[in-house]
Amino acid sequence: YLRGEFSLGVSRCLEAVAEAYAQGFLGRDILGKSFDLDIHVSFGAGAYICGEETALMESLEGKRGWPRIRPPFPAVQGLFGCPTTINNVETLSNVSHIVNRGAEWYAGIGPEKNQGPKLYCVSGPVVRPGVYELPMSITLRELLYDHAGGLLEGRTLKGVIPGGSSTPILTPDEIDVRIDFDSLQKAGTMLGSAGVIVLDHTTCIVRSTLILNRFYAHESCGQCTPCREGTAWIDLVLERLEHGEGEVGDADLLIEISENILGNTICPLGDAAAMAVGPAVKKYREEFEHHIRYQ
């Protein structure tokens, strides 16, 4: 079972599966090798929480998409109680290249312990937003300025979220970091989904943080109290800040709520919200305080 989004769309995905069966690459006795392999495409209801592997299994079993407590882990007891391997489409797409070209070829791409190509999705006010397949040996600055063409004319960099909305933001003086798993972790953030979000000087950090947290508050499955109540509380505080009703101490309150969510939930969704909010307040505290004093 695969998780992820098919860039060609659902209809093209189904067409590709049907074509593979017609050509004998899927099904029974593949290419006369006495090997059977079937693919079943399951459709979800669009719940973000089902990107978490155990919630995905619950959904596939026809249940509410709530993450499971582990252990047992999916590899031991997963879908319908059977051992289950769950991977993103991007991960599985590398398998055929490794089989065809060999493990040494794959290991020769990128730095040690972070081998292989990576798909980086760059969005925001850059000249060439898009998806770039690159080795993980490049820096965030190289990705933004050499590949994505830098910021649009008249814009200046204010911050970069390097791995999707759930990863801690980096300031402009922190982008000379290699965008691999280990380097970003040392820099206090994560590679995550490698969805690079660029923010320029016109962006209000308070408003952008509110938008990100509002998403997590909406997508919380409600199973965990820290996540369910914490994201809603953060939303309340950010809403009043954004609308000129902030109170002295709100910045510290946002950090405190985030730290109380972090590490206290069944799945990482609560952590994702906390990592989006806490570091933003700490690194752009003046902007949050300005909302309290002057709005």
Side-chain angles (χ1 to χ4, degrees):
Y1 290 88
L2 315 181
R3 64 179 179 182
E5 295 186 9
F6 295 91
S7 59
L8 298 179
V10 173
S11 60
R12 182 66 188 96
C13 169
L14 296 175
E15 291 173 7
V17 171
E19 185 179 342
Y21 273 102
Q23 294 183 3
F25 296 119
L26 287 173
R28 296 189 175 279
D29 196 30
I30 297 173
L31 301 178
K33 300 294 184 180
S34 300
F35 180 76
D36 302 337
L37 178 64
D38 288 311
I39 288 183
H40 302 275
V41 179
S42 297
F43 296 91
Y48 177 78
I49 192 65
C50 289
E52 196 279 333
E53 58 183 15
T54 61
L56 175 61
M57 292 189 296
E58 291 287 291
S59 178
L60 287 168
E61 292 178 0
K63 304 172 186 174
R64 183 192 296 268
W66 275 11
R68 300 176 182 176
I69 295 175
R70 287 158 288 190
F73 293 94
V76 176
Q77 183 178 328
L79 190 66
F80 299 111
C82 300
T84 306
T85 298
I86 300 178
N87 281 293
N88 288 306
V89 175
E90 182 185 0
T91 301
L92 295 178
S93 67
N94 286 308
V95 174
S96 61
H97 297 297
I98 296 172
V99 171
N100 290 330
R101 302 189 184 190
E104 290 185 4
W105 164 81
Y106 186 84
I109 301 173
E112 185 180 0
K113 297 183 180 179
N114 292 272
Q115 292 101 335
K118 186 65 182 172
L119 294 176
Y120 298 100
C121 177
V122 184
S123 64
V126 293
V127 176
R128 294 187 295 272
V131 180
Y132 297 87
E133 185 175 20
L134 297 163
M136 288 186 277
S137 54
I138 67 166
T139 66
L140 186 53
R141 184 180 296 276
E142 288 174 317
L143 174 64
L144 298 185
Y145 290 93
D146 295 345
H147 297 280
L151 273 72
L152 296 172
E153 186 176 356
R155 307 292 185 94
T156 56
L157 186 64
K158 188 170 186 177
V160 183
I161 301 174
S165 62
S166 63
T167 58
I169 192 171
L170 295 175
T171 58
D173 60 356
E174 294 177 309
I175 66 171
D176 291 304
V177 58
R178 205 165 59 189
I179 38 179
D180 61 50
F181 295 99
D182 295 337
S183 299
L184 286 173
Q185 184 178 23
K186 290 178 182 177
T189 184
M190 300 186 301
L191 180 57
S193 64
V196 181
I197 305 170
V198 179
L199 307 177
D200 69 13
H201 71 283
T202 66
T203 302
C204 171
I205 295 295
V206 175
R207 178 165 176 74
S208 65
T209 305
L210 167 62
I211 292 170
L212 292 180
N213 180 77
R214 184 182 292 159
F215 168 78
Y216 289 109
H218 178 268
E219 294 296 332
S220 172
C221 73
Q223 186 178 187
C224 300
T225 301
C227 178
R228 181 186 66 247
E229 301 299 326
T231 54
W233 196 5
I234 288 174
D235 186 69
L236 184 150
V237 176
L238 288 172
E239 280 280 2
R240 71 188 187 206
L241 276 172
E242 176 62 14
H243 293 92
E245 300 170 355
E247 301 175 2
V248 174
D250 274 351
D252 290 324
L253 180 57
L254 287 169
I255 294 172
E256 182 182 358
I257 299 171
S258 299
E259 291 177 347
N260 277 286
I261 295 173
L262 201 61
N264 292 312
T265 55
I266 294 174
C267 88
L269 189 140
D271 290 353
M275 288 187 289
V277 175
V281 178
K282 292 176 182 178
K283 293 184 179 183
Y284 298 87
R285 188 181 182 105
E286 287 186 7
E287 193 160 332
F288 285 83
E289 296 289 356
H290 184 275
H291 274 65
I292 296 171
R293 291 195 300 268
Y294 299 110
Q295 292 196 18

